Amino acid sequence: MDIKTATALRRLRLVSAPEAVSFLLLLLCSVLKRTTDFNGVPVMGSIHGILFLLYLVFWAFAWYRTKWSVKTALLYFVLSVLPTGGFFAERKLRRESEDAVIASRARREGVVESS
């Protein structure tokens, strides 16, 4: 894995958990808006919107760099629209990047052949 691909995965991974937290907070603000006088939806909506757009940009760039299959790319997209999906995406992306680093080191040390 080259540095640009690793960076693309890292960016997507780093934005996925905050995007999921912002989604959950937006849902909480929506409930509070309807049950109390508190209205945090405009602020939380803006924050979540920015994080979601960042996720989409980083997702598209990671798809381009990693050459994911359509199935894998769609999985990461679907995880972005589920309230807790970002947490699962972060965990899966962490494993994927760790596996890629291990494979890269093995190829560099001559343990396995490059494909």
Side-chain angles (χ1 to χ4, degrees):
M1 175 184 298
D2 65 345
I3 192 72
K4 289 183 179 180
T5 304
T7 301
L9 286 175
R10 184 171 186 266
R11 284 181 184 152
L12 181 60
R13 185 175 68 85
L14 289 177
V15 79
S16 63
E19 189 272 336
V21 169
S22 72
F23 194 1
L24 292 173
L25 289 174
L26 179 60
L27 292 174
L28 177 65
C29 286
S30 295
V31 170
L32 290 175
K33 177 183 176 183
R34 283 157 180 72
T35 59
T36 67
D37 291 334
F38 179 76
N39 185 9
V41 172
V43 173
M44 207 59 237
S46 297
I47 293 169
H48 174 67
I50 291 167
L51 288 171
F52 182 70
L53 290 175
L54 277 173
Y55 184 96
L56 289 180
V57 168
F58 294 156
W59 167 78
F61 191 66
W63 186 6
Y64 169 75
R65 293 296 308 168
T66 60
K67 311 288 191 261
W68 284 329
S69 67
V70 172
K71 181 180 174 183
T72 301
L74 283 176
L75 170 69
Y76 285 118
F77 178 77
V78 168
L79 288 174
S80 75
V81 296
L82 298 174
T84 57
F87 299 120
F88 296 106
E90 192 276 332
R91 187 179 330 150
K92 191 165 175 51
L93 286 164
R94 184 174 357 109
R95 277 192 231 129
E96 185 176 332
S97 62
E98 288 170 354
D99 291 347
V101 167
I102 290 168
S104 175
R105 287 181 182 159
R107 280 192 298 275
R108 188 176 46 222
E109 293 174 4
V111 177
V112 294
E113 294 181 17
S114 300
S115 50

